[in-house]
Amino acid sequence: AIGLVAGALTMPYAPHLCRVMGTRVAYAWATSLLSVGWILVASLIVLGVAPLPVLLLAAPVVGGLIGFTAVVSPVVYKAYLSSGDMSQVMARMTVVKGVAAVVGALAGGVFITSGTEAHGLLVAGLLRFPLVFLAVRLSPALSIADPLQTPTPWGDILTSLKQSPALRRATYLACGVALFVAPMPSLVVPLTHALRREPLLQGAGLLMASIAIGELLSPIVVSRLRAKRTPIASSALALVVTGGIQLALAVTSITLSNEIELVAWGILGIGFGASRFASRALTFGAASDAQEVHDVSKSLAAMLLAACLVAPIGILAWSVLLGRGMAPVALALGAVGITCVGFAVYRPRLTR
């Protein structure tokens, strides 16, 4: 929670720093500081300092840097991947991050099992330095348009939302995901526990693996949806599908059992991962298209800030329902909520 708040507070200032320092330099500095932060945390834990106080002290700094890079990274990715379509850029990066997540999960399991979690943090810090080298030494294929002057960062966020109906629609989707969809993969273990799936690790592992497979397939969904629709309409439609899959998960958890239930979870998990992460890429594309080229980082900052502010509400609501053993209710409410948001955004006159 501390890191989430710190990240939200830094987002409005990202466009201003990108204008002052240059987007590439700002990205390189932020990534370097984030790497150093993780290395320092790992070093202190290895030296015998209690992990909890170290992590609590580091949370605001690390969270702030993560929030900053969340705004700047898509702009940098777009330049280096030489693509004019932010949706396709984010879809391609989703594949990269999906593979990295699988490798990281396996490595993390090894570190946790061996009792060397601090070494995992150390590796996480060191692996970011190649990105810094890339940003500093290699010029992108496309030039990066730095933001225009931003004298009042918070005021610019509000102005961007007021002046751009397209950005507001993208923000509605991002907030809907934060409330109704994002908590599900974040709370997979409590979810499978609340669904009384035994053995617990088997159900949780299958659901996480199937969502990861779907994440790798999301670029295909992006291409299919974008063939005849705008990014915002495509994202809204993907979220309606995501809501349907969540509702199907709720129904299967009540009506099925044993191996049949696991098979259903696997199939639905793939669909969930594909549609949810396709929507994420498309929402970034919609936010990017909502403003002039110099204001892309402002659009992303506004959208991500709003999503960060509502995210704790979604996590809290899901946690309460799961804690009371009401997992099917949480899934069903999430499904209804995101379907309503997706439908409302798909019909522009409902969200002006």
Side-chain angles (χ1 to χ4, degrees):
I2 296 174
L4 192 63
V5 172
L9 292 176
T10 61
M11 286 177 180
Y13 298 95
H16 176 72
L17 290 177
C18 287
R19 178 184 176 275
V20 173
M21 303 174 64
T23 302
R24 281 175 61 196
V25 175
Y27 172 79
W29 269 105
T31 305
S32 299
L33 292 174
L34 186 57
S35 298
V36 172
W38 282 126
I39 292 171
L40 286 175
V41 169
S43 300
L44 290 173
I45 294 175
V46 169
L47 292 174
V49 180
L52 183 58
V54 173
L55 292 174
L56 287 176
L57 289 174
V61 177
V62 172
L65 291 170
I66 290 175
F68 181 90
T69 55
V71 174
V72 180
S73 295
V75 180
V76 176
Y77 296 157
K78 183 178 179 181
Y80 278 96
L81 293 177
S82 63
S83 174
D85 188 345
M86 182 67 81
S87 298
Q88 292 295 339
V89 169
M90 296 306 295
R92 290 161 67 181
M93 291 307 302
T94 294
V95 175
V96 175
K97 291 182 178 180
V99 173
V102 172
V103 176
L106 294 174
V110 173
F111 286 125
I112 292 173
T113 303
S114 61
T116 56
E117 297 91 337
H119 292 85
L121 296 176
L122 179 63
V123 172
L126 292 173
L127 287 178
R128 292 181 181 272
F129 280 114
L131 296 176
V132 179
F133 176 82
L134 178 69
V136 172
R137 302 294 298 177
L138 299 178
S139 299
L142 297 179
S143 60
I144 300 177
D146 294 325
L148 299 177
Q149 187 173 1
T150 55
T152 56
W154 288 89
D156 286 342
I157 294 293
L158 295 176
T159 301
S160 296
L161 289 171
K162 288 179 180 178
Q163 294 180 348
S164 175
L167 179 57
R168 288 199 299 272
R169 294 172 67 201
T171 303
Y172 294 149
L173 287 182
C175 291
V177 169
L179 286 171
F180 302 117
V181 178
M184 178 188 150
S186 302
L187 301 170
V188 165
V189 174
L191 176 64
T192 51
H193 177 72
L195 291 172
R196 298 180 298 281
R197 160 51 54 187
E198 297 294 343
L200 175 63
L201 292 180
Q202 183 184 34
L206 175 65
L207 195 55
M208 286 189 288
S210 61
I211 291 174
I213 293 172
E215 183 177 359
L216 297 178
L217 298 175
S218 63
I220 299 175
V221 179
V222 170
S223 298
R224 294 293 179 88
L225 291 175
R226 283 285 283 119
K228 297 180 179 180
R229 301 175 184 86
T230 62
I232 193 67
S234 301
S235 180
L237 183 58
L239 286 179
V240 171
V241 174
T242 302
I245 293 172
Q246 282 188 207
L247 185 60
L249 277 169
V251 173
T252 57
S253 67
I254 297 173
T255 59
L256 301 180
S257 61
N258 302 324
E259 287 77 10
I260 299 177
E261 183 184 19
L262 287 177
V263 171
W265 280 18
I267 296 172
L268 292 172
I270 293 174
F272 176 88
S275 59
R276 184 262 182 273
F277 287 100
S279 172
R280 180 180 183 274
L282 290 163
T283 303
F284 270 83
S288 175
D289 294 343
Q291 299 276 59
E292 299 294 334
V293 64
H294 289 280
D295 293 328
V296 170
S297 59
K298 294 182 185 179
S299 296
L300 297 179
M303 181 185 73
L304 293 173
L305 173 61
C308 280
L309 292 178
V310 303
I313 301 173
I315 294 175
L316 178 61
W318 277 71
S319 299
V320 170
L321 291 173
L322 295 181
R324 296 182 177 180
M326 302 170 65
V329 175
L331 287 169
L333 290 176
V336 172
I338 199 60
T339 299
C340 291
V341 172
F343 178 73
V345 173
Y346 194 78
R347 305 291 294 272
R349 65 176 180 272
L350 300 178
T351 54
R352 287 176 181 171

